[in-house]
Amino acid sequence: MPTVADNLVAVRKRISAACSRVGRCTDSVELIAVSKTISAELIREAYTAGQTRFGESRQQEASVKIAELPAALSWHFIGRVQRNKVRKLLPVFDVIHAIDSLRLATYTAELAAELGLFPKVFLQVNVAGEAAKGGFEPASLRSEMEELLDLPRIEILGFMTLPPATADAGDARPWFARMRELRDSLEREFGVCLPSLSMGMSGDYEVAIEEGATHVRVGSAIFGSRAYHVEGELG
Ligand SMILES: *Cc1c(COP(=O)(O)O)cnc(C)c1O
């Protein structure tokens, strides 16, 4: 059985290869090791192998592990954001990946002011307009963009998306491309810089990188398959 350290080496190699296929430098992609359901012990093993960014999708589960681990680790919240958890998330997580409405963004900005913080966030986009999925529909994102950009305290890094589940990673490519094109057009339209795209998981991160991902959220390819479904997981 390969160890977590072996898996990290393999994933980093694949990230480099995907970057060189499209002429990007490897440094332009941040690997987030998704550690939901994974023990603090295994997370420590990944940290020892040089991994510093970790992704969690449940506030309660994460807070227990974060308390046990070195402060040098950086935590990304990748799950669905419940309004009543934002107060607990902000002081602990460096980046929140799934702000899915103007209302939630506004509330997050208010709390950030109250807590004296400047959180970094991604806006989640439902690129395929799937009924079961959260996130901004592309049209409402455009109509609410002005208000989103005007919010104080929160730094919008860019967009996060989860394309429809497909059997073959290549089938996700058009959705990743659509996310990048939407980002490019919003940048031009609003004269802003939204440099980051959080997209790609274990099954499709290489394709996502070829289409412009800057943050890939990889769990099972690093830690092995998870035994159970996690509450708060997206899509
Ligand atoms: C669980 C999860 C991942 C990682 O999934 P893997 O297929 O194990 O890589 C990525 N993003 C989100 C939002 C998740 O909930």
Side-chain angles (χ1 to χ4, degrees):
M1 272 264 289
T3 64
V4 165
D6 295 336
N7 290 341
L8 276 167
V9 169
V11 169
R12 290 195 193 112
K13 266 198 191 134
R14 285 171 175 274
I15 290 174
S16 286
C19 283
S20 57
R21 283 198 291 278
V22 292
R24 297 180 55 184
C25 42
T26 304
D27 286 358
S28 68
V29 177
E30 294 194 2
L31 171 61
I32 297 156
V34 174
S35 51
K36 63 191 182 196
T37 80
I38 302 302
S39 68
E41 191 187 337
L42 274 188
I43 297 173
R44 196 182 290 275
E45 209 174 301
Y47 174 59
T48 306
Q51 179 64 30
T52 54
R53 295 183 196 91
F54 294 88
E56 289 281 338
S57 59
R58 280 186 67 232
Q59 180 271 325
Q60 263 173 310
E61 178 196 334
S63 65
V64 175
K65 291 189 279 190
I66 291 170
E68 287 178 38
L69 288 159
L73 275 60
S74 162
W75 297 94
H76 290 235
F77 193 78
I78 62 166
R80 178 161 288 151
V81 180
Q82 290 173 273
R83 201 178 156 84
N84 63 350
K85 294 285 169 64
V86 180
R87 186 180 288 278
K88 285 186 174 155
L89 294 179
L90 289 184
V92 177
F93 286 89
D94 295 313
V95 184
I96 295 181
H97 286 243
I99 295 290
D100 59 5
S101 69
L102 174 58
R103 184 169 173 269
L104 180 64
T106 305
Y107 179 63
T108 303
E110 281 165 17
L111 276 185
E114 186 189 319
L115 299 169
L117 298 168
F118 292 90
K120 294 181 169 68
V121 306
F122 284 93
L123 303 176
Q124 187 190 353
V125 181
N126 187 352
V127 267
E130 292 171 279
K133 240 171 228 170
F136 290 85
E137 303 276 330
S140 63
L141 179 62
R142 179 169 270 112
S143 66
E144 295 177 334
M145 201 66 213
E146 196 81 61
E147 275 178 273
L148 286 160
L149 291 168
D150 278 348
L151 288 172
R153 310 292 303 199
I154 59 174
E155 181 184 347
I156 301 173
L157 300 179
F159 304 106
M160 181 269 210
T161 198
L162 285 155
T166 52
D168 185 78
D171 296 341
R173 186 183 298 280
W175 298 115
F176 293 138
R178 189 173 294 195
M179 182 70 259
R180 185 196 62 238
E181 287 156 11
L182 175 61
R183 185 275 307 271
D184 292 349
S185 84
L186 291 169
E187 282 192 327
R188 280 194 300 273
E189 204 169 315
F190 294 91
V192 288
C193 207
L194 300 161
S196 304
L197 292 174
S198 168
M199 53 190 200
M201 317 192 347
S202 292
D204 55 17
Y205 66 93
E206 295 159 273
V207 177
I209 289 168
E210 288 170 11
E211 296 300 330
T214 60
H215 293 63
V216 291
R217 308 176 310 267
V218 179
S220 47
I222 295 170
F223 294 110
S225 56
R226 287 176 296 276
Y228 50 91
H229 179 80
V230 190
E231 185 202 325
E233 198 166 319
L234 292 170

